Amino acid sequence: MSKTWHPERLDTRQKIVDRAAVPSGDYLYVKGCFDPLIAAHALRLAELRCLHSGLVVVIADPPEPILPARARAELVAALSAVDFVIIGGESNVDLESEHAALRNELVAHTARRNRR
């Protein structure tokens, strides 16, 4: 049995939509900068997805982004727990406050390593 690679199955950018394109349903809207996307974000999104029938991630902008919003949206869209991604807008849950300290720790760690 031959396995064939299907790159179109890997393209999750179709999950990135305008808010109006999200079908009606019991979706939880979760906002975060995801700049950068870290394992703690992925774990938290998976936890939240288990509690709801759908998960929409709203990409917010941090004061000094490392990555552009579109790149962050594509990374988040690749997570299996995420049904849709929209750039900007309102949400039910704000993850950024939960992960601000983790982001700052990662940025400081990276800066320390680059000084060596």
Side-chain angles (χ1 to χ4, degrees):
M1 180 172 176
S2 170
K3 292 186 179 182
T4 306
W5 182 55
H6 298 281
E8 68 279 1
R9 292 185 191 165
L10 299 176
D11 188 357
T12 56
R13 290 175 291 184
Q14 64 195 5
K15 290 183 181 181
I16 303 169
V17 299
D18 292 327
R19 184 177 288 267
V22 176
S24 61
D26 180 31
Y27 290 102
L28 176 66
Y29 284 75
V30 177
K31 181 188 271 185
C33 295
F34 306 99
D35 190 39
L37 177 65
I38 58 177
H41 287 129
L43 292 171
R44 184 69 171 127
L45 291 172
E47 288 172 357
L48 291 169
R49 178 62 172 87
C50 288
L51 302 173
H52 298 273
S53 60
L55 185 65
V56 178
V57 173
V58 179
I59 302 295
D61 278 325
E64 297 179 28
I66 298 168
L67 295 172
R70 179 66 191 199
R72 292 180 277 128
E74 290 178 12
L75 290 169
V76 171
L79 299 174
S80 62
V82 176
D83 295 297
F84 295 100
V85 178
I86 58 177
I87 299 174
E90 297 303 313
S91 66
N92 305 89
V93 176
D94 186 347
L95 283 186
E96 198 52 35
S97 58
E98 288 183 31
H99 292 105
L102 293 172
R103 178 187 191 276
N104 293 339
E105 183 181 313
L106 177 63
V107 170
H109 172 74
T110 303
R112 283 191 305 273
R113 289 190 56 119
N114 286 333
R115 283 186 284 227
R116 292 182 189 178

